[in-house]
Amino acid sequence: QVQLVESGGGLVQAGGSLRLSCAASSPIASLHAMGWFRQAPGKERDYIAGITATGSRPNYSDSVKGRFTLSRDNAKNTLYLQMNSLQPEDTAVYYCTAATMLGSGFDTWGQGTQVTVSS
């Protein structure tokens, strides 16, 4: 079972940037898909970005499109989320996730990393 460990969260002022990392314990190229979700206090966990193992172009939710960039480094088994132009409404716990095989859905989750954006 692959394990995912997020890092890179923290406190940033509105308009600032952060880069989240998600290190996997096994080759990410073998996973069907990977992505990022976030959960704000009192709200549901929402999908924000994802990419399949064979996909060349990530998919983004409307809330982050144009500001966030998902990338991966297969050699380092790491998924990244570059977040620019952060706003207070981006404050949430950010979770890395993986779909280990076709049809499994996102079945593996990291522990989450807190991102707080101050106004």
Side-chain angles (χ1 to χ4, degrees), residues 12-18 67 82-87 90 117:
V12 64
Q13 290 187 332
S17 298
L18 284 174
R67 299 187 299 124
Q82 177 67 43
M83 307 186 295
N84 298 330
S85 301
L86 284 163
Q87 299 302 316
D90 294 315
V117 184

Side-chain angles (χ1 to χ4, degrees), residues 14-15 17-18 29-31 37 48 54-55 60 62 71 73 79 81-82 84 87 90 92 100 105-108 110:
S17 298
L18 284 174
S30 68
L31 301 171
F37 282 65
I48 55 174
T54 57
Y60 300 97
D62 288 342
S71 62
D73 185 333
L79 187 74
L81 186 69
Q82 177 67 43
N84 298 330
Q87 299 302 316
D90 294 315
T100 53
F106 287 118
D107 56 355
T108 301

Side-chain angles (χ1 to χ4, degrees), residues 9-62:
L11 174 64
V12 64
Q13 290 187 332
S17 298
L18 284 174
R19 188 177 80 156
L20 305 183
S21 299
C22 172
S25 61
S26 58
I28 62 173
S30 68
L31 301 171
H32 173 65
M34 296 189 74
W36 291 93
F37 282 65
R38 68 184 181 187
Q39 187 168 20
K43 295 187 177 181
E44 295 185 351
R45 190 174 297 188
D46 292 329
Y47 170 88
I48 55 174
I51 189 167
T52 62
T54 57
S56 60
R57 299 182 64 179
N59 174 267
Y60 300 97
S61 68
D62 288 342

Side-chain angles (χ1 to χ4, degrees), residues 86-109:
L86 284 163
Q87 299 302 316
E89 52 265 35
D90 294 315
T91 295
V93 178
Y94 284 70
Y95 296 92
C96 177
T97 184
T100 53
M101 62 183 69
L102 179 64
S104 70
F106 287 118
D107 56 355
T108 301
W109 296 83

